Amino acid sequence: MKIYQVDAFTDQPFSGNPAAVCPLPSARSAEWMQAVAAEMNLSETAFFWPSHNGFELRWFTPAVEVALCGHATLATAHVAWETRRASVGQSLRFLTRSGPLTATRSGRNITLDLPSQPAEETEAPQALTDALAADIRWVGRTRENFLVLLPREEQVVSLEPDIRALASLEAQGVIVTAAAHTEGFDFVSRYFAPAVGIDEDPVTGSAHCTLAPFWRARLGKDEMVGLQASARGGRVLVRDKGRRVEVGGRAVTVLEGELLAG
């Protein structure tokens, strides 16, 4: 079986967010997929195989299966087109735990249609405020994540949270964001998810399903550009459509291998 490593949300190798992508002829057990994901030891490993009306798609961190992963979906779409499992002009339909997702391509740009995940304002748990030790201006909660607003971009970039304390929260992860001062961007963010084996995710497509409605309400813009300010960094295009969010970017294959343990 072939397996690929793809850098997503970037057009340069060794930046953006790496994901492993494993095309399968048919479904495999969750235990086997989890073992492969642990072996790859990337934030996400995606597995996809043909279905009667598209592709089945599942995502695994080194520790658990997740319900939605944007960068690994973008990487999977890239692999499907690059390996001719789908024609370049063909829209892709993925059947996932988060419902049907679609991907389209224009030149090198890939656009995903994902479910919106708006955050509702909530009181910050003491463990969260202690872990961030920052000037928190607003806290929201989705089903899976906390969303935290800080006053300035520089505070997001320089943040050094207590990862162990974040892992104790009853949440998959924490999105930290602020308005952007860097030219060409509307907002910046970082994403920490130690509870599922990811101390900090380099670029997180699914987090932008929360960031898009949050910043649309504050900036009054449907289309925005986000900078995920991790060490690798990534540029994410978003378009808020109400119940859905379009998340766009590019991808680069950096490794192609053969999986021998099957």
Side-chain angles (χ1 to χ4, degrees), residues 28-46:
R28 299 294 301 268
S29 71
E31 292 77 14
W32 180 85
M33 289 188 280
Q34 185 66 75
V36 173
E39 185 77 10
M40 296 305 297
N41 200 33
L42 297 171
S43 60
E44 305 286 346
T45 298

Side-chain angles (χ1 to χ4, degrees), residues 45-89:
T45 298
F47 302 87
F48 75 108
W49 58 93
S51 176
H52 65 282
N53 56 353
F55 295 98
E56 299 279 347
L57 173 61
R58 294 173 74 173
W59 313 275
F60 292 78
T61 77
V64 298
E65 183 174 7
V66 296
L68 180 64
C69 179
H71 87 276
T73 304
L74 189 131
T76 300
H78 171 79
V79 167
W81 282 312
E82 291 294 309
T83 62
R84 302 295 187 267
R85 286 173 169 82
S87 62
V88 171

